[in-house]
Amino acid sequence: MGTDDGHREAFPEELADALVGVQRLIRRRLRAGLTVARLRGAEVELLRLVEARPGIGVSEAAKELHLAGNSVSTLVNRLVRDGQLVRETDPADRRAARLLLTGAAESRLRDWRERRAALVRHQVDRLDEADREALRAALPALRRLAENLREEADRP
């Protein structure tokens, strides 16, 4: 096997490790400045989904997050108890619930987004222009990679 083949085979693992490492470090740094109880990853994902799609139902949220319905129900119950989500009865189907963010959750997500942007901005600013441009150029490919992963997960 040539060096190009070896590099090509190592690339997916190196890319995955780099992406996971960056995400983990961002999460740790953001957690360090928290003054409220920290939300788990799935809780944040659910809140962000409800923010993007107010009124989404529990089963649709489970499908979108690729989680079991009972897992999402547990998350919803915890977030409702903690004052982050409101569960309303769906007027079209009294058995179904619609999920909405509370003002506290909206504020918390806004704060999280602002702190994350400031953290990443500061670290990107520390890079030289060539590295910043390489990251900018990689964004479309990373978005396509994420979309491919999402589409594959959506297939039966």
Side-chain angles (χ1 to χ4, degrees), residues 75-95:
L75 290 172
V76 167
N77 289 338
R78 187 177 319 135
L79 291 167
V80 167
R81 182 193 68 224
D82 293 346
Q84 302 297 308
L85 274 182
V86 173
R87 183 185 313 136
E88 290 184 347
T89 303
D90 186 337
D93 179 357
R94 307 286 300 160
R95 298 166 297 165

Side-chain angles (χ1 to χ4, degrees), residues 1-155:
M1 169 173 22
T3 55
D4 285 345
D5 290 338
H7 181 68
R8 182 183 160 166
E9 287 183 22
F11 176 69
E13 187 172 350
E14 291 173 3
L15 176 61
D17 286 348
L19 293 172
V20 167
V22 167
Q23 181 63 25
R24 182 177 46 247
L25 290 166
I26 288 172
R27 246 191 341 263
R28 282 184 187 158
R29 293 282 306 275
L30 290 176
R31 257 191 310 232
L34 281 180
T35 57
V36 293
R38 116 178 147 86
L39 294 172
R40 304 231 179 271
E43 292 170 327
V44 173
E45 285 183 50
L46 178 57
L47 290 176
R48 291 179 71 196
L49 177 60
V50 173
E51 179 183 46
R53 295 181 49 197
I56 190 170
V58 174
S59 61
E60 183 65 20
K63 181 180 172 191
E64 285 289 318
L65 296 172
H66 303 284
L67 295 172
N70 62 343
S71 296
V72 173
S73 290
T74 300
L75 290 172
V76 167
N77 289 338
R78 187 177 319 135
L79 291 167
V80 167
R81 182 193 68 224
D82 293 346
Q84 302 297 308
L85 274 182
V86 173
R87 183 185 313 136
E88 290 184 347
T89 303
D90 186 337
D93 179 357
R94 307 286 300 160
R95 298 166 297 165
R98 296 174 0 165
L99 303 174
L100 301 165
L101 295 182
T102 64
E106 289 172 353
S107 175
R108 191 170 189 169
L109 285 174
R110 186 173 42 254
D111 175 65
W112 172 80
R113 206 172 275 110
E114 289 168 0
R115 290 180 338 123
R116 183 181 67 165
L119 171 65
V120 173
R121 184 180 311 109
H122 174 71
Q123 296 306 319
V124 168
D125 287 348
R126 294 179 60 201
L127 299 172
D128 66 28
E129 184 55 36
D131 283 344
R132 286 193 299 270
E133 189 50 44
L135 289 173
R136 243 182 247 108
L139 284 175
L142 289 169
R143 286 186 186 115
R144 285 190 297 275
L145 176 62
E147 185 57 33
N148 289 348
L149 288 165
R150 190 175 348 318
E151 286 173 3
E152 192 170 281
D154 287 342
R155 286 191 209 127

